[in-house]
Amino acid sequence: MSKMTRIEINAHGGPEQMQLVERDLPELKPGQILVRHEAIGVNFIDTYHRSGLYQLPMPTGLGGEAAGLVEAVGDGVAHVKVGDRVAYCSGPIGSYATHNIIDGATAVLLPTSITAKQAVSCLLKGLTVQYLIRQIYPVQQGETVLFHAAAGGVGQIAVQWLKALGATVIGTVGSEEKADLVKALGCDHVINYRTESAPERVKAITDGAKLPVVFDGVGKDTFEDSLDCLRPRGLMVSFGNASGAVDGVNLGILASKGSLMVTRPTLGHFIPTRAALEAASNDFFAAIASGAIKIADPTEYALADAAKAHIDLQSRKTTGSLVLIP
Ligand SMILES: NC(=O)c1ccc[n+]([C@@H]2O[C@H](COP(=O)([O-])OP(=O)(O)OC[C@H]3O[C@@H](n4cnc5c(N)ncnc54)[C@H](OP(=O)(O)O)[C@@H]3O)[C@@H](O)[C@H]2O)c1
């Protein structure tokens, strides 16, 4: 039986729980494909799966995004063949590994112009931006919007795509170095939310009108400030928990702050089918091909150093994407 090496945890907790182990590769079932990874995506959700913010049955692998070569194809898979280069970003959990067996329907064939490393530095994050700014709130030319953590993996793609749509982009960042980086990406206004009040700056930038939409992946620390950046009937898109989960919300504040709307979306509900995956990934790859979005080289870690990647991502030290190389 063939073997693979992968990161596993036996209990939820800190990065020290992550161990590199050798395991047998399971048999392929109909509809599945075996992918030998060339690069693995690191996403903030992987830290939630590790910590237990999102619970998983133990023991478990980690990670849901990778790219590489198709090594075997189960019965009934028509659109990929052995030797194709594919990427996937919707699991199954266990992509922090040399190999993974995935549902063939979730594999995206990579254009020859995109390497495995490039794909995993942007596929999940790009599809996330696609559904946030093209599906949940289709951003129109001339609108002013705020995107939190603009220098992060998701944030850098969002800033560039929003600019290409003709929006005026306000980005928040946690340091002056990150402010310079997002200005260079085209951000019109940058707020260092460690030293400045986002609602005050937004009021000044918009002459008091405030915003139709805020995209917030920071969570607990920014929730109320994000509401205060919205104009009446504005939409708060709370899509992540980098600073902790938002809880204990008193719905009454939505009324008093302007009949606001809040949504807490996940990718799977906006890209639920093969057809939706193809449409969203084509939209994203087209934005890259047009030159509107440039994907910065990711920060690389060896698969065995996955714990270090989690420590760095959670410490707010990183910009752009992180990838693991098996
Ligand atoms: N709902 C979905 O479908 C979906 C899909 C993908 C990603 N997401 C979410 O999108 C967000 C961004 O993901 P990413 O992988 O691209 O990560 P990232 O933005 O590269 O990293 C998170 C950033 O959040 C900021 N942050 C603010 N307070 C923080 C704190 N207390 N601890 C850690 N970070 C803090 C930091 O930037 P500053 O230093 O500039 O503040 C940090 O660099 C995450 O919340 C993730 O869960 C959601």
Side-chain angles (χ1 to χ4, degrees), residues 173-176 179 190-198 201 316:
V173 293
S175 72
E176 292 311 309
V190 185
I191 302 171
N192 181 338
Y193 49 11
R194 294 209 205 209
T195 57
E196 300 175 284
S197 154
R201 283 287 315 279
R316 306 175 69 168

Side-chain angles (χ1 to χ4, degrees), residues 55-70:
Q55 294 275 314
L56 292 174
M58 293 294 137
T60 181
L62 288 174
E65 179 175 36
L69 285 178
V70 177

